[in-house]
Amino acid sequence: MPESAFTVPVAGVAMTAIGVAVIRARESERADRLYLDPLARHFADAARAGFEPERWTRLEALAEQFQEGRSAGVRLLDDRVREAVDGGCRQVVLLGAGLDTRAFRMDLPADLRLFEIDLPELFAFKEAVLSRVNAIPTCARRVLPADLRGDWPKALSDSGFSASEPTLWVDEGVLAYLTPPDHRRVVETLTQLSAPGSRFGSGRFALDANAGPYPELRRMVSGDGDDAPAASASAGFDTVEWLLAAQEWDTEFRTWDDQVAPYGRNLANGDPRIGTFQAVRR
Ligand SMILES: C[S@@+](CC[C@H](N)C(=O)[O-])C[C@H]1O[C@@H](n2cnc3c(N)ncnc32)[C@H](O)[C@@H]1O
């Protein structure tokens, strides 16, 4: 394994966060970029030093296949975060935060508490890189190395989370990695922790886990060993159903095509079932 100043997650699900950082770094370098994430290049460069060159080439090729759609997704969520904050929300929880840098790049207010939940191996890398470049968040950022299949609510409350204040919960590509029962448990738990007015957004998508980039993604996540579990193709649909069934949220669905139209890129997929929903806690 190449020498690196950092402990780089070169396999396992935490590795997927590096792929998204590569995507954000590339987007940030475009003249017509949808957002600017200067830290993404630092993450990508620091990660590359820990990869075997051939494996890094594969990771970049994989990121390329997700580039356009994933990048637009980042911008969509930036807009959701901005909207919630402008509406007075002062508590944000990033589920599976990965190498997200909204705490640093969005000029979020100092009285906003932003909780980042992800696996310990992800933060071992992320915090080391952030510290090396002296990155300073504009809001009150709290880092929670925790497994979403475990007791993450305790980690949240120990870090100053208040269940009596409205929260914006962000799922940006993590819940689909959980098994349907774990996915469901997370949604049930965050429902319990959500004061009226809290928001939860999640993607509704349809993917064939055995086609396109997904088999290679699984191979890389598993470190080219045993096949890792596929992302759950129906996760988004199920989540909507649970929320509606529980009648504890008002939900609004918007198709992907409608949402990305203003970006002026060729991103439409023509499938009206695919999109995101925003749920507001009653
Ligand atoms: C595709 S990445 C997305 C990261 C980030 N949301 C973004 O968009 O850049 C998925 C993230 O979910 C995290 N993750 C996966 N399973 C998890 C679990 N059981 N508990 C906590 N985090 C998890 C991974 O470590 C990884 O950082």
Side-chain angles (χ1 to χ4, degrees), residues 138-152:
T138 61
C139 60
R141 173 177 181 257
R142 310 264 193 271
V143 170
L144 282 67
D147 192 320
L148 287 165
R149 296 163 298 184
D151 193 4
W152 57 273

Side-chain angles (χ1 to χ4, degrees), residues 53-63 216 219-220 224:
E54 183 265 344
R55 196 167 161 75
W56 183 258
T57 302
R58 285 172 60 197
L59 181 126
E60 286 197 313
L62 204 45
E216 168 71 343
R219 278 191 294 275
M220 288 210 69
D224 294 316

Side-chain angles (χ1 to χ4, degrees), residues 13-14 16-17 20 24 70 96-98 118-119 146-149 172-174:
V13 76
T16 62
V20 190
R24 281 194 289 262
R70 201 64 172 76
D118 209 298
L119 298 169
D147 192 320
L148 287 165
R149 296 163 298 184
E172 193 175 18
V174 60

Side-chain angles (χ1 to χ4, degrees), residues 12-37:
V13 76
M15 183 214 71
T16 62
I18 295 172
V20 190
V22 167
I23 288 170
R24 281 194 289 262
R26 287 177 178 159
E27 177 70 31
S28 298
E29 286 151 13
R30 283 178 66 147
D32 64 344
R33 59 183 164 251
L34 297 172
Y35 51 84
L36 178 62
D37 182 356

Side-chain angles (χ1 to χ4, degrees), residues 40-51:
R41 177 52 60 200
H42 289 290
F43 289 130
D45 288 348
R48 184 174 50 219
F51 272 67

Side-chain angles (χ1 to χ4, degrees), residues 77-256:
L77 268 167
D78 282 3
D79 292 349
R80 292 293 90 75
V81 171
R82 181 73 62 208
E83 192 179 281
V85 171
D86 289 350
C89 176
R90 288 295 178 268
Q91 193 161 252
V92 177
V93 179
L94 303 181
L95 303 162
L99 300 172
D100 181 277
T101 59
R102 293 192 174 92
F104 303 85
R105 67 180 170 83
M106 283 189 65
D107 203 19
L108 297 174
D111 63 346
L112 176 97
R113 292 188 305 286
L114 182 142
F115 301 88
E116 296 189 8
I117 303 178
D118 209 298
L119 298 169
E121 57 268 34
L122 183 282
F123 285 122
F125 172 69
K126 182 176 189 176
E127 298 314 292
V129 175
L130 289 174
S131 146
R132 170 176 281 194
V133 300
N134 294 318
I136 312 283
T138 61
C139 60
R141 173 177 181 257
R142 310 264 193 271
V143 170
L144 282 67
D147 192 320
L148 287 165
R149 296 163 298 184
D151 193 4
W152 57 273
K154 172 160 179 5
L156 255 188
S157 65
D158 289 351
S159 306
F161 174 86
S162 164
S164 58
E165 287 176 49
T167 302
L168 170 66
W169 303 92
V170 177
D171 164 27
E172 193 175 18
V174 60
L175 295 186
Y177 279 99
L178 304 182
T179 62
D182 285 332
H183 185 153
R184 183 180 181 124
R185 245 189 311 278
V186 171
V187 175
E188 286 170 348
T189 303
L190 70 83
T191 297
Q192 284 161 19
L193 294 173
S194 290
S198 294
R199 299 169 189 221
F200 171 50
S202 196
R204 185 202 265 177
F205 51 89
L207 62 85
D208 179 350
N210 295 314
Y214 297 102
E216 168 71 343
L217 175 61
R218 286 205 301 284
R219 278 191 294 275
M220 288 210 69
V221 167
S222 71
D224 294 316
D226 294 337
D227 207 23
S232 160
S234 62
F237 290 105
D238 291 350
T239 307
V240 177
E241 274 182 41
W242 302 330
L243 292 172
L244 290 175
Q247 296 193 332
E248 289 167 304
W249 300 83
D250 292 316
T251 63
E252 183 196 1
F253 179 74
R254 287 193 63 199
T255 67
W256 169 261

